[in-house]
Amino acid sequence: MENYLSCSKTFIVPFILLMMIITPPPLQAQQDDAALEDFARQLTGLFNEARTEGRMCGDEFMPPAPPVAWDEDLRRAARIHSVDMSENDFRGHTGSDGSSPTDRVRRVTDRFSGAAEILAYGSNSPQNAVNLWLRSPGHCRIIMGQHYRYMGAHVIRMADRPQQLYWTAKFARSPDPAAYRPQAQTPEEQYLLLRGKQIIIYGSFDDERFNRLRHSVSGGRLNYFPNAIRHAELLQEREQLLSLAGYKRSPEFAVVRIENLLMIDPPDLNNLILQYELGLIPIFPDGIEKLSEHRVFIWGEEVCAVCDTLIAQLRLAGTRPVRYYTDRDPRTLEHMWSKVEPAAAYEYNLDGTRHVDLPVIEIAGTILTGEVSLQDLLNALE
């Protein structure tokens, strides 16, 4: 998710003076870095102040939440993205190298899982940035998330507009099971936690560990579906879920999906429920259910790996996109350009002709082009 505060000014400045503004003297730069680090640390207190009382985040009430603690690893992960956006002049949650918010946390530490990221651009004070985030339902839900216990942030000046700032804040769940409600103590209590939920288990029927897990779950009279990964489409589905969740390791024998969570290699029902309660590996970004409220239209050629990946992800999220093949019928291509032109979502070639990066995606009247993530689609709805 992202928030953007536009503030544009026109400057006519000699080149040497401009360089002095962008590259301050060493002492001034050190003082500026210290001030920006203080800005980042002030966010902890402001977030905790917001979490002390319940509030409406869009149409959802979020109850008061425990305080979050500053974490240096999360600060370093936030810095990776702030610097990347500033130096490479882009905005969004996908890094210039294709990394996700979870990828950047795991480059720094493996202490956390299920990290969330919020961004703001142009805000000139910590309070201003937090106010903007709290007015955005998606950002507000992250700030008020009950399961987050740690945060870290980084603030940096925009490379080409040093009077404006990039803000990156990371939230993470506690790795300490004691921070969560205890594991259910009786079989009946355990069954109640999962009763009525669809449990999908991916694994091999040739693996005894997978079979023991199946039998343990079936003993609880639960609604479960074992999927044999010897079938290519089910193996691909499992890999897609792991990729969406940002999980890089190879599971040993089982991946379990319950709603928006993955559980990895639970040996039995007890461990499965404990992993479910911890909720450490969410599959989709917060607010994913909003996508099912809108039609998603995708234009691209018949052979389009990016299109296929996005469609598979949308279907796993419970959304059925509409696919158009631009190389099958000229009318489909004309239809696509009728969407692209009003949005000015194209560029000019050196010879004066126009081109657009495929695929072209439309959601809620917004046009996106090129490689688009589920988070990008959610951002388009904000």
Side-chain angles (χ1 to χ4, degrees):
M1 303 176 197
E2 64 183 62
N3 229 324
Y4 175 57
L5 179 62
S6 176
C7 180
S8 60
K9 296 182 180 180
T10 302
F11 292 94
I12 303 175
V13 187
F15 178 74
I16 295 176
L17 178 57
L18 181 61
M19 290 298 294
M20 290 175 63
I21 294 174
I22 296 176
T23 310
L27 179 58
Q28 181 183 338
Q30 292 175 11
Q31 293 172 339
D32 189 53
D33 289 345
L36 295 180
E37 182 175 351
D38 181 62
F39 272 8
R41 289 180 177 274
Q42 286 182 44
L43 292 176
T44 309
L46 294 171
F47 288 148
N48 285 333
E49 182 180 339
R51 289 164 69 93
T52 58
E53 57 185 37
R55 68 182 62 242
M56 295 298 297
C57 295
D59 57 1
E60 181 180 359
F61 177 76
M62 302 294 290
V68 290
W70 177 269
D71 184 84
E72 277 298 305
D73 285 336
L74 292 177
R75 179 196 68 79
R76 285 191 283 271
R79 182 183 183 279
I80 290 172
H81 198 48
S82 290
V83 172
D84 187 19
M85 289 191 296
S86 177
E87 292 183 349
N88 293 295
D89 192 25
F90 73 94
R91 302 182 179 96
H93 292 277
T94 301
S96 62
D97 58 355
S99 61
S100 69
T102 303
D103 290 335
R104 293 186 286 274
V105 171
R106 287 182 175 152
R107 287 176 185 174
V108 176
T109 179
D110 59 2
R111 294 167 48 229
F112 302 111
S113 184
E117 178 180 272
I118 55 177
L119 309 174
Y121 316 107
S123 300
N124 58 8
S125 73
Q127 187 67 67
N128 190 321
V130 172
N131 289 343
L132 280 173
W133 281 324
L134 289 175
R135 287 199 293 269
S136 165
H139 296 80
C140 178
R141 282 191 289 270
I142 290 176
I143 292 172
M144 297 298 296
Q146 292 274 332
H147 45 287
Y148 295 126
R149 295 294 187 271
Y150 297 93
M151 65 80 58
H154 188 263
V155 185
I156 193 172
R157 294 196 180 278
M158 298 182 180
D160 59 341
R161 294 181 299 281
Q163 74 278 10
Q164 294 188 6
L165 305 176
Y166 280 121
W167 302 72
T168 303
K170 310 281 285 189
F171 290 79
R173 305 162 192 258
S174 172
D176 179 8
Y180 297 83
R181 68 175 187 264
Q183 180 181 355
Q185 296 301 306
T186 69
E188 190 56 34
E189 287 175 328
Q190 292 178 336
Y191 302 156
L192 286 175
L193 285 173
L194 299 183
R195 188 147 297 155
K197 302 183 187 301
Q198 187 179 73
I199 304 170
I200 303 174
I201 308 175
Y202 300 85
S204 171
F205 288 104
D206 296 328
D207 193 310
E208 187 56 36
R209 295 169 298 178
F210 175 72
N211 292 323
R212 282 199 297 269
L213 173 62
R214 288 195 304 114
H215 295 149
S216 179
V217 174
S218 66
R221 305 181 303 280
L222 299 172
N223 184 26
Y224 87 102
F225 302 88
N227 283 342
I229 57 173
R230 67 174 178 269
H231 299 295
E233 65 273 15
L234 293 177
L235 177 60
Q236 185 176 13
E237 183 176 298
R238 187 197 75 168
E239 295 307 303
Q240 190 71 254
L241 289 168
L242 291 169
S243 175
L244 281 166
Y247 191 84
K248 302 298 184 183
R249 304 183 186 95
S250 297
E252 292 185 17
F253 64 91
V255 173
V256 183
R257 177 185 178 183
I258 304 176
E259 298 173 328
N260 189 33
L261 294 173
L262 286 186
M263 281 58 67
I264 308 298
D265 296 328
D268 52 33
L269 179 59
N270 291 346
N271 186 271
L272 173 62
I273 290 176
L274 179 59
Q275 288 194 44
Y276 176 74
E277 287 188 285
L278 295 179
L280 295 179
I281 310 178
I283 305 166
F284 303 107
D286 289 342
I288 192 67
E289 65 280 354
K290 292 183 188 273
L291 291 184
S292 63
E293 301 170 6
H294 301 270
R295 299 296 297 274
V296 180
F297 303 92
I298 301 174
W299 288 266
E301 296 178 347
E302 186 169 2
V303 179
C304 175
V306 174
C307 303
D308 295 341
T309 298
L310 180 60
I311 288 170
Q313 292 176 352
L314 286 167
R315 286 175 176 167
L316 286 171
T319 300
R320 296 291 174 184
V322 179
R323 174 82 153 90
Y324 295 106
Y325 299 95
T326 56
D327 51 353
R328 284 186 180 178
D329 187 339
R331 290 173 297 182
T332 301
L333 193 60
E334 292 173 6
H335 183 208
M336 182 194 77
W337 277 102
S338 73
K339 303 288 185 177
V340 169
E341 286 178 335
Y346 56 85
E347 296 179 355
Y348 283 99
N349 298 315
L350 293 177
D351 61 3
T353 58
R354 297 175 304 175
H355 78 272
V356 62
D357 292 331
L358 296 178
V360 171
I361 299 100
E362 180 184 23
I363 181 170
T366 298
I367 299 296
L368 304 166
T369 65
E371 190 166 350
V372 172
S373 67
L374 297 182
Q375 183 65 65
D376 294 328
L377 293 176
L378 287 172
N379 292 342
L381 298 178
E382 290 291 335

